[in-house]
Amino acid sequence: MTRFLVGTRKGLFRVEKQGPGQWTIADSWFLGDPVPMVLAQKQGDDILACLDLGHFGNKMRRTRDGGVTWREEIAPAYPEQAEGVKEVDPVRGLEVPWSVKLLWSLAAGPDGTLWCGTIPGGLFRSEDDGATWSLVESLWYDERRKKWSGGGYDFAGIHSILIHPGNPQHITVGVSVGGVWQSQDGGASWEVIGEGLRAEYMPPEMAHDPEAQDPHVIVSCAAAPEQLWMQHHNGIFRSHDWGRTWTEFHDVKPAVFGFAVAVHPKDPETAWFVPAIKDEQRIPAEARPVVTRTQDGGKSFTILSEGLPEPPAYDLVFRHALDINGDGSVLAFGSTTGSLWISEDQGESWQVVSEHLPPIYCVCADQ
Amino acid sequence: MVRISFTPNLLRHVQTPADAVEGDSIGAALEAYFQLNPTARTYVLDDQGMVRKHIAIFLNRDMIPASQALATEVQEQDELYVAQALSGG
C-alpha cells in the first residue's frame, strides 16, 4: 500500500492509510529540521532524506529499514575552488559559491546510479549507492552554465532529473533558471534543448532562448518516458520527444502559472497542475485552491475542487509537493501553509489529511 | 594543547565531545579535531573548508570573525568554543 513521505520546513512525515478513507500521519522524523527532498526506493524501506540544517549545512540521512533507524551519509560537496576562479550570478551579481546551498532533487537510474541536483547548479552522481558523490564536472565547467541565474533563490539550481528507464546514459535535467539540458552519453557531454519553450519575462527577441527558460519542474510518464510535462514560470508545456520540442498550452483556467505537475504513470495524456494567479501574485485565483487536470493531452483542462477549501484560502504548492503513486491510483499534494490533501479518484475529490503541518517542500509516494 | 568545545545544539545531529588538540592556529586545531572526528567537519566548515556562515568561533571568549578565524594564531592552553550564531526563524 502506498504511503507518502512529506518533507517540510520542520521535519519529515509519513502518511499512510489506516482504513477506508482514513489517511493519517503515522510517522515523523527530524522534527525541527527542514527536509527539502527525499527519495524512496524498495517500497519505502530505503529512504534517502536531504536535510537543510541551516547553520550546519546540508546533510543526507538514510534508512534501509523503513524509518526504524537512520544513519548519516556523506552528502554531495563541491570540489576545491581553484585560486582566482570566480563567477557571478548574471542577474544578481553575487559570487556563485562552490558550496552546497540546497540539496534540491534526487533520482535513481535503472543501473542503480543515484543523482542529486543542487543549488548552486551542480549535478552530482553516486555510483556506489550514496556512499560517495562526485560532481558532474562536464556540466559544472561548461561555459554555457555561467548564463544560468537564480530565480526564487539567489543562485540557479537543478530541480528535475529524469533518467531514461531503459538507458541510464540518457539524462535530462531541468534548471531554474537555465532551461532543459540533456546528455546521451552518461553525463560526458550536454546539449541545451527546448525548442518551443517561451520565456515571457525576457525581452521579446530573447523569449525563445533555451537557456533563459525557467522550468519550475519537469516530469516524465513512467510507461512512456519520452512524454514529458513541464510547469514553466509562465506556462504549461508538453513534449513528445524527451524535451527536444515543446508545445505550449494557453488559456488554461484559472491560470497557467504554478510550480507543480504530476503525470499519470500509465497514461501520458493525463496530468495534474496546482495553479496560482501569476508570478507576481503567488496565491490561488480568487483565494480558492484548485487542481487542474487534463486527460486528453492538453486539449482541455478541468478544474477540480471537491474537498479543497472554500475561499479565502491562500495555499501555494511548491514544485516538488505534488506526486502520484506508482500505479496511478493515489495523488497527494501539500502547501506552503501546511495543508496536505490526498485523492483516490484521479483528483475528482480530495481528502484533507492535515491543515497544520509545517510549510511543505516535497511530497513523495514511496511506491 | 588547545581545548575545543562545541555548542550543545550540535548534539542533535553529531557527537562533538570537547577535546584537547595540537595546533598553532584555529584552523590547525580544528583540523586536528576533525582528524579524530571526521563526521563533525561538514557541520562547521563548508565545501571549501571555510567556516560556515552561521557558525561563530570564540577564542578565550573573544569572537573571531569567520573570515579571519582559521588563520588566527592560538597558544598553548587557549580555549576555542564553536558556537551557533543567532539566525533563522
Side-chain angles (χ1 to χ4, degrees):
Chain A
M1 183 66 199
T2 297
R3 298 168 293 184
F4 285 92
L5 296 161
V6 182
T8 78
R9 182 169 174 158
K10 307 277 182 179
L12 175 63
F13 302 87
R14 185 165 58 195
V15 174
E16 64 181 42
K17 191 175 183 179
Q18 296 187 333
Q22 290 185 313
W23 289 88
T24 305
I25 297 168
D27 301 286
S28 60
W29 304 280
F30 316 123
L31 291 176
D33 298 323
V35 181
M37 180 48 59
V38 293
L39 175 70
Q41 301 181 91
K42 298 178 181 173
Q43 287 74 51
D45 283 344
D46 181 352
I47 304 168
L48 185 59
C50 300
L51 274 62
D52 175 9
L53 297 184
H55 301 78
F56 306 126
N58 286 267
K59 311 298 177 196
M60 279 185 169
R61 305 287 166 82
R62 187 111 180 229
T63 178
R64 295 177 190 273
D65 55 18
V68 178
T69 59
W70 295 82
R71 59 169 290 172
E72 180 157 1
E73 301 279 357
I74 290 175
Y78 286 79
E80 184 177 355
Q81 188 172 6
E83 194 78 27
V85 173
K86 181 178 174 180
E87 62 179 288
V88 296
D89 180 275
V91 172
R92 290 170 170 80
L94 299 172
E95 184 173 351
V96 176
W98 285 39
S99 195
V100 171
K101 296 299 175 190
L102 191 66
L103 301 169
W104 206 17
S105 54
L106 290 169
D111 59 348
T113 300
L114 299 179
W115 298 85
C116 180
T118 70
I119 296 173
L123 178 67
F124 291 82
R125 164 172 43 205
S126 175
E127 293 177 339
D128 53 14
D129 198 26
T132 60
W133 294 86
S134 58
L135 179 68
V136 177
E137 295 188 347
S138 57
L139 189 55
W140 182 248
Y141 291 112
D142 191 315
E143 284 296 313
R144 297 170 293 177
R145 184 189 58 78
K146 294 180 179 175
K147 288 179 68 177
W148 297 4
S149 65
Y153 291 94
D154 281 345
F155 304 104
I158 295 174
H159 50 65
S160 300
I161 307 171
L162 308 172
I163 314 296
H164 194 305
N167 176 11
Q169 303 294 304
H170 190 288
I171 304 148
T172 307
V173 300
V175 183
S176 195
V177 177
V180 185
W181 292 68
Q182 194 165 79
S183 173
Q184 305 202 34
D185 53 14
S189 64
W190 295 87
E191 183 181 8
V192 58
I193 58 176
E195 183 184 336
L197 295 175
R198 182 182 64 88
E200 199 169 270
Y201 42 83
M202 294 295 285
E205 64 275 16
M206 299 173 68
H208 295 284
D209 179 353
E211 291 166 56
Q213 304 304 319
D214 184 14
H216 281 177
V217 76
I218 310 168
V219 294
S220 164
C221 174
E226 75 285 358
Q227 302 282 336
L228 309 184
W229 286 90
M230 175 194 293
Q231 175 64 67
H232 182 285
H233 189 86
N234 54 255
I236 290 171
F237 294 84
R238 183 188 183 185
S239 171
H240 299 285
D241 56 7
W242 270 111
R244 302 200 76 80
T245 61
W246 296 84
T247 300
E248 182 173 4
F249 298 97
H250 302 276
D251 301 323
V252 180
K253 303 299 181 189
V256 295
F257 179 83
F259 289 94
V261 54
V263 58
H264 196 290
K266 298 175 181 173
D267 175 16
E269 305 301 301
T270 297
W272 294 262
F273 302 81
V274 190
I277 296 177
K278 57 199 300 193
D279 55 356
E280 67 270 37
Q281 275 186 296
R282 299 177 183 202
I283 54 173
E286 300 174 347
R288 179 191 296 276
V290 299
V291 171
T292 50
R293 180 188 64 197
T294 180
Q295 293 179 300
D296 54 14
K299 294 186 182 71
S300 64
F301 289 81
T302 304
I303 296 174
L304 307 167
S305 61
E306 185 179 336
L308 298 177
E310 292 294 315
Y314 296 97
D315 296 83
L316 182 73
V317 176
F318 279 165
R319 70 194 75 210
H320 297 131
L322 164 68
D323 200 17
I324 186 165
N325 68 340
D327 67 10
S329 62
V330 191
L331 286 144
F333 72 99
S335 75
T336 56
T337 39
S339 298
L340 179 71
W341 294 278
I342 284 184
S343 173
E344 296 183 76
D345 57 7
Q346 302 295 294
E348 290 288 336
S349 65
W350 296 89
Q351 175 197 340
V352 64
V353 179
S354 174
E355 294 172 299
H356 305 288
L357 287 168
I360 292 171
Y361 292 153
C362 67
V363 172
C364 173
D366 73 354
Q367 58 183 295
Chain B
M1 302 285 274
V2 177
R3 183 169 176 79
I4 301 182
S5 56
F6 294 82
T7 168
N9 290 356
L10 270 170
L11 295 176
R12 285 181 59 232
H13 310 295
V14 60
Q15 293 302 307
T16 49
D19 206 346
V21 296
E22 299 285 353
D24 55 8
S25 67
I26 291 177
L30 284 172
E31 183 58 35
Y33 184 89
F34 295 141
Q35 289 290 326
L36 302 170
N37 185 356
T39 309
R41 178 190 299 271
T42 67
Y43 286 82
V44 178
L45 305 179
D46 68 14
D47 298 15
Q48 298 303 314
M50 306 302 290
V51 176
R52 287 196 177 280
K53 184 178 176 184
H54 298 294
I55 293 286
I57 295 184
F58 288 81
L59 171 60
N60 301 329
R61 301 189 180 185
D62 291 329
M63 187 163 69
I64 310 298
S67 61
Q68 303 168 21
L70 297 181
T72 298
E73 293 184 0
V74 294
Q75 311 292 329
E76 285 284 318
Q77 308 302 315
D78 275 350
E79 294 198 359
L80 297 176
Y81 182 74
V82 178
Q84 173 182 330
L86 297 181
S87 59

